[in-house]
């Protein structure tokens, strides 16, 4: 499991945390000062690397693995 996490780049991990905190691609792009297309690319990579179907599963995964917690919201 932790191996899956280490397969993510720092930026992908940033995006994963922001997805888990409920941000949209537009909000993530603004927060990280990158284009929305770049965010979409990161989301695709995250879904692929973690074998997940959608961003809801990404959020659930992040919460379950303790990547984000309620105090960081």
């Amino acid at each position: 499991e932790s191996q899956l996490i280490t397969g993510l780049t720092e930026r992908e991990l940033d995006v994963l945390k922001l997805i888990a905190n409920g941000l949209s691609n537009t909000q993530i792009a603004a927060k990280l000062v990158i284009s929305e297309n770049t965010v979409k690319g990161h989301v695709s990579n995250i879904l692929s690397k973690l074998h997940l179907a959608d961003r809801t599963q990404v959020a659930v995964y992040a919460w379950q693995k303790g990547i984000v917690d309620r105090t960081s919201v």
Side-chain angles (χ1 to χ4, degrees), residues 19-39:
I19 289 171
N21 284 327
L23 275 66
S24 68
N25 285 356
T26 306
Q27 291 168 316
I28 293 170
K31 192 170 180 77
L32 298 181
V33 196
I34 57 180
S35 77
E36 204 171 330
N37 280 338
T38 302
V39 174

Side-chain angles (χ1 to χ4, degrees), residues 8-56:
L8 298 179
T9 65
E10 280 295 318
R11 189 53 112 187
E12 287 165 353
L13 208 49
D14 291 341
V15 171
L16 181 143
K17 290 175 183 174
L18 295 172
I19 289 171
N21 284 327
L23 275 66
S24 68
N25 285 356
T26 306
Q27 291 168 316
I28 293 170
K31 192 170 180 77
L32 298 181
V33 196
I34 57 180
S35 77
E36 204 171 330
N37 280 338
T38 302
V39 174
K40 288 177 185 172
H42 289 316
V43 172
S44 292
N45 290 342
I46 291 165
L47 293 174
S48 174
K49 289 180 180 181
L50 299 182
H51 311 291
L52 301 171
D54 56 42
R55 43 192 309 132
T56 303

